[in-house]
mmCIF file with all atom_site columns, all heavy atoms in Angstrom:
data_model
loop_
_atom_site.group_PDB
_atom_site.id
_atom_site.type_symbol
_atom_site.label_atom_id
_atom_site.label_alt_id
_atom_site.label_comp_id
_atom_site.label_asym_id
_atom_site.label_entity_id
_atom_site.label_seq_id
_atom_site.pdbx_PDB_ins_code
_atom_site.Cartn_x
_atom_site.Cartn_y
_atom_site.Cartn_z
_atom_site.occupancy
_atom_site.B_iso_or_equiv
_atom_site.pdbx_formal_charge
_atom_site.auth_seq_id
_atom_site.auth_comp_id
_atom_site.auth_asym_id
_atom_site.auth_atom_id
_atom_site.pdbx_PDB_model_num
ATOM 1  N N   . ILE J 1 102 ? -24.266 23.028 -21.115 1.00 0.00 ? 102 ILE J N   1
ATOM 2  C CA  . ILE J 1 102 ? -25.299 24.066 -21.228 1.00 0.00 ? 102 ILE J CA  1
ATOM 3  C C   . ILE J 1 102 ? -25.086 25.152 -20.186 1.00 0.00 ? 102 ILE J C   1
ATOM 4  O O   . ILE J 1 102 ? -25.183 26.348 -20.483 1.00 0.00 ? 102 ILE J O   1
ATOM 5  C CB  . ILE J 1 102 ? -26.702 23.435 -21.082 1.00 0.00 ? 102 ILE J CB  1
ATOM 6  C CG1 . ILE J 1 102 ? -27.040 22.632 -22.351 1.00 0.00 ? 102 ILE J CG1 1
ATOM 7  C CG2 . ILE J 1 102 ? -27.760 24.514 -20.831 1.00 0.00 ? 102 ILE J CG2 1
ATOM 8  C CD1 . ILE J 1 102 ? -28.313 21.831 -22.247 1.00 0.00 ? 102 ILE J CD1 1
ATOM 9  N N   . ILE J 1 103 ? -24.773 24.755 -18.972 1.00 0.00 ? 103 ILE J N   1
ATOM 10 C CA  . ILE J 1 103 ? -24.563 25.718 -17.893 1.00 0.00 ? 103 ILE J CA  1
ATOM 11 C C   . ILE J 1 103 ? -23.360 26.617 -18.187 1.00 0.00 ? 103 ILE J C   1
ATOM 12 O O   . ILE J 1 103 ? -23.443 27.849 -18.109 1.00 0.00 ? 103 ILE J O   1
ATOM 13 C CB  . ILE J 1 103 ? -24.369 24.988 -16.544 1.00 0.00 ? 103 ILE J CB  1
ATOM 14 C CG1 . ILE J 1 103 ? -25.695 24.366 -16.077 1.00 0.00 ? 103 ILE J CG1 1
ATOM 15 C CG2 . ILE J 1 103 ? -23.828 25.947 -15.474 1.00 0.00 ? 103 ILE J CG2 1
ATOM 16 C CD1 . ILE J 1 103 ? -25.550 23.456 -14.877 1.00 0.00 ? 103 ILE J CD1 1
ATOM 17 N N   . ASN J 1 104 ? -22.230 25.990 -18.558 1.00 0.00 ? 104 ASN J N   1
ATOM 18 C CA  . ASN J 1 104 ? -20.983 26.743 -18.750 1.00 0.00 ? 104 ASN J CA  1
ATOM 19 C C   . ASN J 1 104 ? -20.946 27.556 -20.040 1.00 0.00 ? 104 ASN J C   1
ATOM 20 O O   . ASN J 1 104 ? -20.373 28.654 -20.070 1.00 0.00 ? 104 ASN J O   1
ATOM 21 C CB  . ASN J 1 104 ? -19.788 25.786 -18.722 1.00 0.00 ? 104 ASN J CB  1
ATOM 22 C CG  . ASN J 1 104 ? -19.542 25.205 -17.346 1.00 0.00 ? 104 ASN J CG  1
ATOM 23 O OD1 . ASN J 1 104 ? -19.880 25.819 -16.337 1.00 0.00 ? 104 ASN J OD1 1
ATOM 24 N ND2 . ASN J 1 104 ? -18.969 24.024 -17.284 1.00 0.00 ? 104 ASN J ND2 1
ATOM 25 N N   . ASN J 1 105 ? -21.532 27.000 -21.105 1.00 0.00 ? 105 ASN J N   1
ATOM 26 C CA  . ASN J 1 105 ? -21.387 27.632 -22.422 1.00 0.00 ? 105 ASN J CA  1
ATOM 27 C C   . ASN J 1 105 ? -22.576 28.469 -22.871 1.00 0.00 ? 105 ASN J C   1
ATOM 28 O O   . ASN J 1 105 ? -22.431 29.300 -23.775 1.00 0.00 ? 105 ASN J O   1
ATOM 29 C CB  . ASN J 1 105 ? -21.106 26.555 -23.477 1.00 0.00 ? 105 ASN J CB  1
ATOM 30 C CG  . ASN J 1 105 ? -19.837 25.782 -23.192 1.00 0.00 ? 105 ASN J CG  1
ATOM 31 O OD1 . ASN J 1 105 ? -18.850 26.348 -22.739 1.00 0.00 ? 105 ASN J OD1 1
ATOM 32 N ND2 . ASN J 1 105 ? -19.850 24.486 -23.443 1.00 0.00 ? 105 ASN J ND2 1
ATOM 33 N N   . LYS J 1 106 ? -23.739 28.263 -22.270 1.00 0.00 ? 106 LYS J N   1
ATOM 34 C CA  . LYS J 1 106 ? -24.933 28.988 -22.708 1.00 0.00 ? 106 LYS J CA  1
ATOM 35 C C   . LYS J 1 106 ? -25.545 29.850 -21.611 1.00 0.00 ? 106 LYS J C   1
ATOM 36 O O   . LYS J 1 106 ? -25.716 31.061 -21.775 1.00 0.00 ? 106 LYS J O   1
ATOM 37 C CB  . LYS J 1 106 ? -25.990 27.995 -23.232 1.00 0.00 ? 106 LYS J CB  1
ATOM 38 C CG  . LYS J 1 106 ? -25.476 27.027 -24.290 1.00 0.00 ? 106 LYS J CG  1
ATOM 39 C CD  . LYS J 1 106 ? -24.891 27.748 -25.500 1.00 0.00 ? 106 LYS J CD  1
ATOM 40 C CE  . LYS J 1 106 ? -24.344 26.739 -26.517 1.00 0.00 ? 106 LYS J CE  1
ATOM 41 N NZ  . LYS J 1 106 ? -23.604 27.396 -27.598 1.00 0.00 ? 106 LYS J NZ  1
ATOM 42 N N   . LEU J 1 107 ? -25.876 29.253 -20.487 1.00 0.00 ? 107 LEU J N   1
ATOM 43 C CA  . LEU J 1 107 ? -26.599 29.986 -19.438 1.00 0.00 ? 107 LEU J CA  1
ATOM 44 C C   . LEU J 1 107 ? -25.739 31.026 -18.729 1.00 0.00 ? 107 LEU J C   1
ATOM 45 O O   . LEU J 1 107 ? -26.120 32.200 -18.629 1.00 0.00 ? 107 LEU J O   1
ATOM 46 C CB  . LEU J 1 107 ? -27.184 28.997 -18.426 1.00 0.00 ? 107 LEU J CB  1
ATOM 47 C CG  . LEU J 1 107 ? -28.237 28.033 -18.980 1.00 0.00 ? 107 LEU J CG  1
ATOM 48 C CD1 . LEU J 1 107 ? -28.685 27.050 -17.907 1.00 0.00 ? 107 LEU J CD1 1
ATOM 49 C CD2 . LEU J 1 107 ? -29.440 28.809 -19.525 1.00 0.00 ? 107 LEU J CD2 1
ATOM 50 N N   . ILE J 1 108 ? -24.583 30.613 -18.232 1.00 0.00 ? 108 ILE J N   1
ATOM 51 C CA  . ILE J 1 108 ? -23.741 31.547 -17.481 1.00 0.00 ? 108 ILE J CA  1
ATOM 52 C C   . ILE J 1 108 ? -23.279 32.736 -18.320 1.00 0.00 ? 108 ILE J C   1
ATOM 53 O O   . ILE J 1 108 ? -23.338 33.890 -17.864 1.00 0.00 ? 108 ILE J O   1
ATOM 54 C CB  . ILE J 1 108 ? -22.540 30.808 -16.849 1.00 0.00 ? 108 ILE J CB  1
ATOM 55 C CG1 . ILE J 1 108 ? -23.040 29.918 -15.697 1.00 0.00 ? 108 ILE J CG1 1
ATOM 56 C CG2 . ILE J 1 108 ? -21.482 31.794 -16.343 1.00 0.00 ? 108 ILE J CG2 1
ATOM 57 C CD1 . ILE J 1 108 ? -21.962 29.104 -15.019 1.00 0.00 ? 108 ILE J CD1 1
ATOM 58 N N   . PRO J 1 109 ? -22.839 32.543 -19.577 1.00 0.00 ? 109 PRO J N   1
ATOM 59 C CA  . PRO J 1 109 ? -22.416 33.707 -20.379 1.00 0.00 ? 109 PRO J CA  1
ATOM 60 C C   . PRO J 1 109 ? -23.536 34.712 -20.643 1.00 0.00 ? 109 PRO J C   1
ATOM 61 O O   . PRO J 1 109 ? -23.270 35.912 -20.809 1.00 0.00 ? 109 PRO J O   1
ATOM 62 C CB  . PRO J 1 109 ? -21.943 33.072 -21.699 1.00 0.00 ? 109 PRO J CB  1
ATOM 63 C CG  . PRO J 1 109 ? -21.542 31.691 -21.330 1.00 0.00 ? 109 PRO J CG  1
ATOM 64 C CD  . PRO J 1 109 ? -22.528 31.276 -20.276 1.00 0.00 ? 109 PRO J CD  1
ATOM 65 N N   . HIS J 1 110 ? -24.800 34.253 -20.665 1.00 0.00 ? 110 HIS J N   1
ATOM 66 C CA  . HIS J 1 110 ? -25.907 35.147 -21.014 1.00 0.00 ? 110 HIS J CA  1
ATOM 67 C C   . HIS J 1 110 ? -26.635 35.732 -19.799 1.00 0.00 ? 110 HIS J C   1
ATOM 68 O O   . HIS J 1 110 ? -27.038 36.896 -19.818 1.00 0.00 ? 110 HIS J O   1
ATOM 69 C CB  . HIS J 1 110 ? -26.907 34.418 -21.908 1.00 0.00 ? 110 HIS J CB  1
ATOM 70 C CG  . HIS J 1 110 ? -26.440 34.241 -23.318 1.00 0.00 ? 110 HIS J CG  1
ATOM 71 N ND1 . HIS J 1 110 ? -25.650 33.189 -23.709 1.00 0.00 ? 110 HIS J ND1 1
ATOM 72 C CD2 . HIS J 1 110 ? -26.637 35.000 -24.429 1.00 0.00 ? 110 HIS J CD2 1
ATOM 73 C CE1 . HIS J 1 110 ? -25.383 33.302 -25.007 1.00 0.00 ? 110 HIS J CE1 1
ATOM 74 N NE2 . HIS J 1 110 ? -25.956 34.383 -25.456 1.00 0.00 ? 110 HIS J NE2 1
ATOM 75 N N   . ILE J 1 111 ? -26.831 34.930 -18.756 1.00 0.00 ? 111 ILE J N   1
ATOM 76 C CA  . ILE J 1 111 ? -27.606 35.427 -17.607 1.00 0.00 ? 111 ILE J CA  1
ATOM 77 C C   . ILE J 1 111 ? -26.903 35.193 -16.279 1.00 0.00 ? 111 ILE J C   1
ATOM 78 O O   . ILE J 1 111 ? -27.487 35.422 -15.214 1.00 0.00 ? 111 ILE J O   1
ATOM 79 C CB  . ILE J 1 111 ? -29.015 34.767 -17.558 1.00 0.00 ? 111 ILE J CB  1
ATOM 80 C CG1 . ILE J 1 111 ? -28.881 33.237 -17.471 1.00 0.00 ? 111 ILE J CG1 1
ATOM 81 C CG2 . ILE J 1 111 ? -29.844 35.177 -18.770 1.00 0.00 ? 111 ILE J CG2 1
ATOM 82 C CD1 . ILE J 1 111 ? -30.205 32.513 -17.254 1.00 0.00 ? 111 ILE J CD1 1
ATOM 83 N N   . GLY J 1 112 ? -25.647 34.754 -16.325 1.00 0.00 ? 112 GLY J N   1
ATOM 84 C CA  . GLY J 1 112 ? -24.929 34.388 -15.106 1.00 0.00 ? 112 GLY J CA  1
ATOM 85 C C   . GLY J 1 112 ? -24.803 35.488 -14.080 1.00 0.00 ? 112 GLY J C   1
ATOM 86 O O   . GLY J 1 112 ? -24.800 35.223 -12.874 1.00 0.00 ? 112 GLY J O   1
ATOM 87 N N   . ASN J 1 113 ? -24.707 36.739 -14.516 1.00 0.00 ? 113 ASN J N   1
ATOM 88 C CA  . ASN J 1 113 ? -24.484 37.843 -13.573 1.00 0.00 ? 113 ASN J CA  1
ATOM 89 C C   . ASN J 1 113 ? -25.769 38.407 -12.983 1.00 0.00 ? 113 ASN J C   1
ATOM 90 O O   . ASN J 1 113 ? -25.728 39.253 -12.086 1.00 0.00 ? 113 ASN J O   1
ATOM 91 C CB  . ASN J 1 113 ? -23.713 38.967 -14.265 1.00 0.00 ? 113 ASN J CB  1
ATOM 92 C CG  . ASN J 1 113 ? -22.289 38.554 -14.625 1.00 0.00 ? 113 ASN J CG  1
ATOM 93 O OD1 . ASN J 1 113 ? -21.671 37.764 -13.904 1.00 0.00 ? 113 ASN J OD1 1
ATOM 94 N ND2 . ASN J 1 113 ? -21.773 39.071 -15.728 1.00 0.00 ? 113 ASN J ND2 1
#
Side-chain angles (χ1 to χ4, degrees):
I102 287 173
I103 289 171
N104 291 333
N105 300 322
K106 308 303 178 188
L107 296 177
I108 289 178
H110 285 85
I111 58 173
N113 293 327

